[in-house]
């Protein structure tokens, strides 16, 4: 089982920036995906951005051009740089680790709150 710990959330004004970090520990599959999901009050959890061990990235349309995901495979860390934040970016941001071996296996962090004030 992989454990994930997030940090970097907080309160920021619209137009501001935040950087989230996630550290993974435990036995990790060599080919995997790490990323960020978020959940706003009353809404379902949604994908924000993901990055594979090989460097491929994927973003939700709503954050393209504003958020950048990166990872440090040597340190088992993934980051999310969030710029030009909007009130609709508010939510709990969860770090995710997953890999496929016949089926998908997921691990989740405890979540970190991001609040963007208007």
């Amino acid at each position: 089982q992989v454990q994930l710990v997030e940090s970097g959330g907080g309160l920021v004004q619209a137009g501001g920036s935040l950087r989230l970090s996630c550290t993974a520990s435990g036995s990790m599959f060599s080919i995997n995906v790490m990323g960020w999901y978020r959940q706003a009050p009353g809404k379902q959890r949604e994908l924000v951005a993901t990055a594979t061990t090989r460097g491929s990235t994927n973003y939700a349309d709503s954050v393209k051009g504003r958020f950048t995901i990166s990872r440090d495979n040597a340190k088992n860390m993934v980051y999310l740089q969030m710029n030009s934040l909007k009130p609709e970016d508010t939510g709990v941001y969860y770090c995710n680790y997953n890999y496929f071996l016949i089926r998908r296996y997921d691990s989740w962090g405890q979540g970190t709150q991001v609040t963007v004030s208007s």
Side-chain angles (χ1 to χ4, degrees):
Q1 186 75 10
V2 171
Q3 292 77 44
L4 304 171
V5 177
E6 304 104 333
S7 62
L11 173 64
V12 65
Q13 288 188 332
S17 298
L18 283 175
R19 188 187 192 220
L20 305 183
S21 300
C22 173
T23 302
S25 60
S27 180
M28 298 180 68
F29 200 68
S30 57
I31 299 173
N32 61 69
V33 180
M34 293 187 73
W36 296 91
Y37 291 69
R38 68 187 179 191
Q39 187 166 19
K43 295 188 176 181
Q44 289 190 329
R45 191 174 297 188
E46 63 177 2
L47 180 148
V48 177
T50 61
T52 71
T53 44
R54 295 174 177 173
S56 297
T57 57
N58 181 49
Y59 295 91
D61 288 342
S62 60
V63 307
K64 284 180 181 177
R66 301 187 298 120
F67 292 10
T68 302
I69 189 169
S70 60
R71 58 183 293 173
D72 184 333
N73 293 329
K75 295 182 179 180
N76 291 334
M77 294 189 71
V78 64
Y79 309 94
L80 185 68
Q81 178 65 44
M82 304 185 292
N83 299 328
S84 302
L85 283 160
K86 304 175 181 180
E88 50 264 42
D89 294 318
T90 295
V92 179
Y93 282 68
Y94 295 92
C95 182
N96 172 266
Y97 157 88
N98 70 79
Y99 68 95
F100 282 91
L101 187 63
I102 302 177
R103 66 171 180 88
R104 174 170 164 159
Y105 294 82
D106 284 85
S107 294
W108 294 93
Q110 81 286 355
T112 185
Q113 178 71 44
V114 171
T115 303
V116 184
S117 63
S118 57

